[in-house]
Structures are given as C-alpha cells and as structure tokens.
Amino acid sequence: MRSAADPAHTAAALAAVPTDRRVAIVDSGFVGHLHALRLALTDPRFDACAVPGALAVQPGARSALARAVAADAGADSAPYADRLAAAVETDGTPVHRPELGTLVAAVPAQGRARQEAAAAVAAVDDEAVRLRTAVKSRDGFFTTFFISPYSRYIARWCARRGLTPNQVTTASLVTALIAAGCAATGDRWGYVAAGVLLLVSFVLDCTDGQLARYSLQYSTLGAWLDATFDRAKEYSFYAGLALGAARDGDDVWALALGSMILMTCRHVVDFAFNEANHDATANTSPTAALSDKLDSVGWTVWVRRMIILPIGERWAMIAVLTAVTTPRVVFYALLIGCAFGALYTTAGRVLRSLTRRAKRTDRAAQALADLADSGPVAELAGRVVGRMAPGAGIAAAVIGSVALVWTAWAYGFGARQTVVAAVFYAVLAGAAVARPLKGALDWLVPPVFRAAEYTTVLILAAKADVPGALPAAFGLVGAVAYHHYDTVYRIRGGTGAPPHWLVRTTGGHEGRVLLTTVLAAVLAERATDFPVALTALAVFVALVVLVESIRFWVSSGAPAVHDEGEPA
C-alpha cells in the first residue's frame, strides 16, 4: 500500500508494481463500507472494477490504466479514481460497477457532506449486507427457505477459518459419495443415513457458492468443480440406490440409467436453449411476455420454480424417499417428476421459439454445433449428403433418432437391422449439422442426439438380458455424459468447445452409436461378453475425456466465473 500526493506520484507508484499484478487506486477522501471496497478491489472476474472513489484493474487492463494515468490532466473536478475509471472504459476496457444497494461508497467534500456520508455508513450493517448478498440471486424454493437462512452463516464460519470454496465443494462430494455407499448397503439404516447425508451434502453444496460470494473467491476451476461435482454426486447416488436394491433382490438399474438419461437430456435442453438465444436479436414473443407477466405475481414465481423440480427440491425428495421407501419408489418418483418438469420447460421454450422473430448469431450456431458433438462419420456424411433446407436440421435429427430407437427396441439385441438404423442415423446426423443451426427449433438438435445415443445404449443393455449389462451401460452413459457436461461448461465459460481431436478420438455421438450397435451384433451369440465390451468402451472414454478435461481446467487461463443463474 502506497500513498501518492498527485497524479505524477501515482504514475511512479504504478510503474513500480510488476505488470502481472492487480493494482488498485483508492481516493484518500473515500468514505464507505469495507464490503463496498471488497466488491471493487478483490473481485477476480473482471479486468476492471470500480465504485465511487476506487478502481481496481487486473493485469489485462494495466496498459489501459497506464494510458489513463498519463493522459489525466486533472481538469475534471471528479475524484481521481473516478476519472481514471471513465478513461479506462473509454479506452475500450469494460469497467464493472457492482450494485451497492444500501452500501455506501463516496468521496464527499469536507464538512457537512463528509459527516452525512459517515452517518450513512454507520446506519447500515456492512456484515448483514455481505451475508445477504452471499445467497444466489435466483434460487429454488427449498434452497431459499430451508437451506440459505443458515448455510450463509456456515459460509461465514468457513471464511473466518480460511477455508476455500473448492475445499467445501470437495467436502460436499465426499459426503455424497459416503451417502451413496450407505444406500448401497441395502439396509434400512443405510437408506436413512444416505438420506440424511445427501441433505448434508446439499447444504455444503449451497455453502460453497455462498462462501465464494461472501469472500469473493471466484475462479474458473471452482465453477467447473461445483458444476461437475453436482452431477457426479447425483448420479453416484443413483448407482448406490441401484446397488442397494440389487442386494434386496430388486433390479432397478434400468430405472437408474433412465433417470440419469432424463436428467442429462433435460440439462442439455436448458443449455442449448440458453446458448441459442442469449445474444439473439429481437428476443420477444407472446409466450415470453406471458411468462414475464406470471413472474410479476409473487406466488406464481415459486410455483413455477418448484414444479420443474430444481436441484434443491429434487435432492430433498430423493433424500426423504430414500429414508422411508425403497429405491424403486425413489426412481419412479424421480422419473415422473423430472419428466413433467422437462415437458413443462421444453414446451414453453418451443412455443417461445415458434412465436418469436429473432435472428440467431453465428456464435450461437457454432455453440449448438459444438454441443451436437458430431464425429468424423457425421462430418463425412454431411459432405456427401450436402446442406439441407434452412431449419431442416431438427427434422433430420428427429427422424434419424426415432428410427434408431424404434429399431433397437423392436428388433432386440444383436439384430443387424439396428446396425442399419445406426448407419441411417449417422447419415442424417451429418445432414442435420451440415448447415449452420439457425432455425427456430435447431436448439433441439443437441438434446435429440443425446436422447438417441443414451437411450440406444439403455435398450441394447436391457435387451441383452445378461448380468452386468445395465451397470456397464450406466458407466458408459456416465462417462459420455461427463464429456457433454464438460463441453457445456467450456462454452459457458467463454473458452470454446473441447479440441476437435478429443471429439474425433471419442468417435462423436454417431460413432459411439455405430460402435455399440456393431458390438451388439457381433456379440449376439455371446451376449455375456457385451458388458465387458461396454465397460471397456466406458473406461476408454472416461480416461481420454477426464485427462484432457482436468488438464484444461487446471491450466486454463479463462476468466473467473461463478454461476448466478437458474438452479440445475
């Protein structure tokens, strides 16, 4: 910390700080809350951040700050830090100005104005504001009213003891894995313990994000861990329930895999729709207007958030039903509830897409193409078949997917007709993405592909009717789903899709479908070997994807992010 008497001394002080360091300039007359300064000076998500009387810049904006300092002539009577913030923004670097609410940040004149500012600071409890803003701005009913009222205090306790959000995230994962292990015992005490531990894991899951907001410890790695661990926790718990049920003589692996498929496809619908429309022009429709109108009525907001069964409500339901019923009942409730939520949200988004007049950007079309996860077979098919009519991508995807799933179901395990249907699916999959996905409903192409691939694996494993086939299929879908979630979070983080070699190595969705159907046909007479083949494929995909994913997220130079959006 250095004091500067004038702009010349400020320039000298800045020049003495290495360019790879964050620097901050605070006016000597600043009056305000400590948390107002925290928001401006310590948030790592933005290259430049400011509140009245204070400015902080990351290394990426140091050159813009240097130019602003050199050009400042002191003619403006505004506080020095405010003049620099305006100059940095004019130079082309966006300056984030956090909403302060009741917090005070000002550079008042001497005398009465300064006394009034000090009185305003004393009138507001800085810590209470900090605790309140630690809670996600938009969350589900269960989380808002049953978790956040006390989890924010756990977050503060963690902050005061030097714990990081990533440590709390890891603790949440470990707790959930122990819960899954308890469920796998198949005993009533195990189910009760599993339900309790799953709720504890969810409390910690809320706490890590609140700790990040409370202490402003945002990071790209942290956002990735939080998002991927949520899926790992939930799907591991499904596996634990299936193992526990098997100990009691009840095979629910198909239900467990069906639940994972439904949840993953639902998430891909969410991601694809948001990516397709977040920067589209003329983003209006009668359906959107009706939705906004419903949200203006207080109680409808909570009802609409609850019926889609977000993560808080979903985990609470799973925990309670695990403790008092059986795994089969848990999965039936999960499938019914999530199917209703998926139909509700998807129908609304389809209506919005059909009734709005918007122009989709090239960036959105590229994001949808990346989410499609098309491999070399689809690329070749796209070049051979050529571009279809505008907006026909979703039709090709649906026709190919329905034909594939119906054939796998109708002809059973090992049928050559399924291989033919997989070839047909691969050709239409290539045709579907040959033209940029800018049609009104083309955002549905990625989730349709996900549903086709995952459901085909489920059907073939179920039709094989041999021990271990469905658990192996669960592992394969889990490994592939991780790859698809990883793709989503890279795109959301602004770093682009995974490298093309990774998609080629894992075959793309159509390549994996072809390989799975061919394995089923080749092993038709030795169905007991099919689980081994699925397991080998699952291990290969998991190793390739995990190694590249961990390498990327640990070494990524992407800006720090944190999820403030819809609950998953």
Side-chain angles (χ1 to χ4, degrees):
M1 186 175 185
R2 303 182 185 183
S3 297
D6 53 43
H9 286 88
T10 301
L14 288 173
V17 180
T19 56
D20 61 347
R21 303 276 186 88
R22 177 176 58 193
V23 296
I25 297 174
V26 181
D27 197 287
S28 59
F30 177 85
V31 175
H33 288 100
L34 178 61
H35 191 50
L37 277 181
R38 287 193 190 98
L39 291 172
L41 308 185
T42 64
D43 195 326
R45 295 174 296 173
F46 310 101
D47 280 341
C49 192
V51 295
L55 167 68
V57 299
Q58 301 277 17
R62 284 290 301 274
S63 59
L65 177 61
R67 289 190 292 270
V69 170
D72 185 76
D76 193 336
S77 60
Y80 183 55
D82 295 358
R83 298 201 306 267
L84 293 181
V88 166
E89 196 157 39
T90 302
D91 190 73
T93 299
V95 177
H96 175 69
R97 291 177 170 82
E99 294 184 10
L100 297 179
T102 57
L103 293 173
V104 177
V107 184
Q110 297 297 326
R112 184 176 180 82
R114 195 165 188 82
Q115 293 174 356
E116 290 176 350
V121 171
V124 176
D125 186 344
D126 176 285
E127 181 63 15
V129 174
R130 192 178 177 190
L131 277 171
R132 185 172 65 251
T133 55
V135 177
K136 187 185 289 187
S137 58
R138 181 177 175 85
D139 227 328
F141 179 85
F142 179 77
T143 305
T144 299
F145 294 102
F146 293 92
I147 304 297
S148 293
Y150 58 88
S151 61
R152 68 184 74 182
Y153 295 101
I154 301 175
R156 181 173 66 179
W157 183 90
C158 292
R160 291 178 175 177
R161 282 151 184 81
L163 297 176
T164 67
N166 290 352
Q167 290 172 332
V168 178
T169 301
T170 303
S172 176
L173 173 65
V174 172
T175 304
L177 293 178
I178 295 173
C182 291
T185 64
D187 297 324
R188 178 51 52 191
W189 71 264
Y191 291 142
V192 172
V196 172
L197 288 172
L198 187 63
L199 288 177
V200 172
S201 175
F202 183 66
V203 172
L204 293 173
D205 181 61
C206 295
T207 300
D208 62 2
Q210 292 165 0
L211 174 58
R213 298 180 199 93
Y214 180 86
S215 56
L216 298 177
Q217 296 183 70
Y218 302 110
S219 70
T220 300
L221 177 61
W224 171 69
L225 288 177
D226 184 47
T228 54
F229 280 10
D230 279 351
R231 306 287 80 81
K233 288 181 285 190
E234 186 166 359
Y235 298 158
S236 295
F237 196 81
Y238 293 176
L241 287 173
L243 289 170
R247 288 178 176 271
D248 293 331
D250 188 13
D251 187 354
V252 296
W253 275 107
L255 296 178
L257 179 51
S259 298
M260 181 165 67
I261 291 172
L262 179 58
M263 283 306 309
T264 303
C265 292
R266 172 182 163 179
H267 288 142
V268 175
V269 167
D270 295 341
F271 298 142
F273 180 81
N274 291 335
E275 285 300 324
N277 295 290
H278 86 282
D279 59 353
T281 58
N283 191 5
T284 59
S285 75
T287 308
L290 175 61
S291 178
D292 293 339
K293 186 176 181 180
L294 288 174
D295 279 345
S296 67
V297 182
W299 63 271
T300 63
V301 174
W302 295 116
V303 171
R304 296 176 71 206
R305 290 188 193 179
M306 291 173 65
I307 62 176
I308 64 172
L309 210 62
I311 188 169
E313 280 75 359
R314 189 168 70 249
W315 283 26
M317 180 189 75
I318 294 172
V320 172
L321 291 180
T322 296
V324 300
T325 63
T326 65
R328 181 172 290 273
V329 172
V330 174
F331 286 125
Y332 281 150
L334 192 59
L335 286 167
I336 293 171
C338 290
F340 177 81
L343 287 173
Y344 171 78
T345 55
T346 304
R349 287 164 177 170
V350 168
L351 287 175
R352 289 191 186 197
S353 300
L354 293 176
T355 57
R356 67 197 292 258
R357 296 179 179 179
K359 184 178 180 180
R360 187 157 293 145
T361 64
D362 291 337
R363 177 198 174 281
Q366 183 58 52
L368 292 178
D370 292 334
L371 288 173
D373 191 33
S374 300
V377 178
E379 291 176 355
L380 176 62
R383 288 195 292 268
V384 172
V385 175
R387 293 187 173 186
M388 303 179 68
I394 181 59
V398 169
I399 292 171
S401 299
V402 170
L404 172 67
V405 172
W406 181 84
T407 304
W409 178 265
Y411 288 94
F413 179 77
R416 295 182 179 179
Q417 292 90 335
T418 308
V419 178
V420 174
V423 173
F424 179 68
Y425 167 81
V427 171
L428 288 187
V433 297
R435 179 182 291 274
L437 297 175
K438 294 187 176 182
L441 296 178
D442 281 351
W443 56 270
L444 282 169
V445 169
V448 167
F449 286 157
R450 296 297 80 75
E453 179 183 1
Y454 299 163
T455 304
T456 299
V457 174
L458 168 60
I459 292 173
L460 292 178
K463 293 285 187 177
D465 196 26
V466 293
L470 282 168
F474 188 95
L476 175 58
V477 172
V480 175
Y482 176 85
H483 166 54
H484 291 143
Y485 279 116
D486 185 57
T487 301
V488 164
Y489 295 126
R490 292 194 194 209
I491 294 173
R492 287 181 61 180
T495 57
H500 199 54
W501 69 260
L502 180 66
V503 177
R504 285 178 171 273
T505 301
T506 56
H509 68 96
E510 82 292 345
R512 291 186 296 270
V513 165
L514 275 169
L515 178 58
T516 304
T517 56
V518 168
L519 286 173
V522 170
L523 299 175
E525 302 300 325
R526 304 191 310 276
T528 53
D529 292 339
F530 190 57
V532 178
L534 289 183
T535 301
L537 181 57
V539 170
F540 172 77
V541 172
L543 285 176
V544 173
V545 171
L546 277 172
V547 169
E548 161 57 21
S549 177
I550 293 172
R551 181 209 63 78
F552 171 80
W553 289 106
V554 170
S555 62
S556 173
V561 295
H562 197 79
D563 180 27
E564 295 288 347
E566 295 282 356

